[in-house]
Amino acid sequence: MNDAASPVALLTAANYKSATKPIWCPGCGDFTVLSAITKALASLQLPPHEVAVVSGIGCSSRIPAYTACYGFHGVHGRALAAGTGLKVARPDLTVLVTGGDGDGYSIGGNHFMHACRRNVDLTYIVMDNHVYGMTKGQASPTTEPDWDNKLSPGGTGIRSFHPLVIALAAGASFVARAFAGDPNATANLIAQGIRHPGFAFIEVLSPCVTFRPEQREWKQHVHAAPVAPTDDAARAARRIMTDDGFNIGVLYAGNRTPYAAHCGNTAHSVAGLEAEFEL
Ligand SMILES: Cc1ncc(C[n+]2csc(CCOP(=O)(O)OP(=O)(O)O)c2C)c(N)n1
Ligand code: SF4
């Protein structure tokens, strides 16, 4: 029993992990992203029951099941739609939306742009491995045009999608790039994203060691962004367009007012809902 003299136990990263064991391939970057999320939540001392983790489908989208927070593992490409709805209905919750580049930029690309535009106060964490991992290695929107594999011999020849710049153009109010190989730095960026009011987008370079084993070399390429974050979206976009793709840190922190729901009268009971929809 706690009394005035008893210290309150601090939450640790372990308090945010569920008993479900991840089934990712050994060495997958998503392990450390899970660890970074739990460290970030612990650093903010957010009670697990006040946090919801929402995802679509993919290896990376398994994250909600591995946390002890509320979770929703939904439909491929619809994570942001579900997460946005949840945050608007329950603004008291901290909402994290998680997933992969296929889930978020391909089938979910439309939701991505409009989530940036709406600027609802949630944090979107994309584990970008430039491939569809779960469905065995198809090219994704962020796959390099010359990536040669048996499903796209000679490469797709299609220009890669640039999620960070598109997020800026669409109105995201916080844009950061992280590297899964550094869970402490990633945790710090996620914590900053959670604290930032508005739509915070954190792109995490998270190697798929099975279908893109060459991504193990990312650890030799990543480096801290050489300049401080800017609140000027045009300047941030110019920097991101011309960087080498491995700048890590907060790249843009703006100050747009987050979307505030004006729900009007809501029905709080089944009877109330039935009355509202009565013809
Ligand atoms: C509507 C629908 N279309 C396609 C699929 C098949 N599918 C499942 S996961 C996935 C891609 C996953 O790739 P990504 O989001 O990049 O995540 P990763 O597995 O690489 O973490 C696809 C195409 C599906 N489950 N539902
Ligand atoms: S297939 Fe790739 S993304 Fe999926 S668990 Fe294995 S390493 Fe991770």
Side-chain angles (χ1 to χ4, degrees), residues 30 57-61 76 100-104 107 129 131-135:
D30 298 349
I57 299 290
C59 299
S60 42
S61 293
H76 190 44
D101 40 299
D103 188 82
I107 189 170
N129 51 22
V131 76
Y132 289 5
M134 178 172 266
T135 48

Side-chain angles (χ1 to χ4, degrees), residues 23-30 59-60 129 131 133-134 207-211:
I23 58 164
W24 293 311
C25 309
C28 175
D30 298 349
C59 299
S60 42
N129 51 22
V131 76
M134 178 172 266
C208 172
V209 292
T210 299
F211 296 105

Side-chain angles (χ1 to χ4, degrees), residues 106-256:
S106 191
I107 189 170
N110 193 20
H111 295 292
F112 174 54
M113 287 186 293
H114 291 285
C116 295
R117 183 175 73 84
R118 290 189 184 107
N119 199 27
V120 171
D121 183 20
L122 49 83
T123 305
Y124 185 36
I125 302 163
V126 176
M127 284 146 271
D128 192 347
N129 51 22
H130 303 180
V131 76
Y132 289 5
M134 178 172 266
T135 48
K136 303 205 178 302
Q138 298 89 352
S140 87
T142 49
T143 301
E144 304 79 352
D146 58 352
W147 181 59
D148 184 24
N149 82 332
K150 66 180 180 199
L151 296 174
S152 44
T156 62
I158 301 171
R159 177 195 168 104
S160 315
F161 188 79
H162 204 322
L164 299 164
V165 177
I166 288 165
L168 281 170
S173 66
F174 178 98
V175 172
R177 188 190 282 125
F179 172 53
D182 189 343
N184 289 333
T186 302
N188 183 278
L189 290 171
I190 293 172
Q192 289 187 60
I194 293 172
R195 275 198 305 262
H196 184 90
F199 185 80
F201 170 47
I202 301 165
E203 157 95 349
V204 188
L205 300 173
S206 180
C208 172
V209 292
T210 299
F211 296 105
R212 303 292 315 258
E214 71 280 13
Q215 291 175 347
R216 289 178 189 273
E217 287 170 22
W218 278 352
K219 62 175 170 297
Q220 269 103 51
H221 300 310
V222 291
H223 53 85
V227 285
T230 172
D231 62 0
D232 178 334
R235 181 176 298 149
R238 274 196 302 277
R239 284 177 180 167
I240 296 168
M241 283 296 276
T242 52
D243 77 13
D244 62 0
F246 291 103
N247 270 1
I248 302 302
V250 178
L251 305 174
Y252 171 72
N255 48 23
R256 281 180 63 212

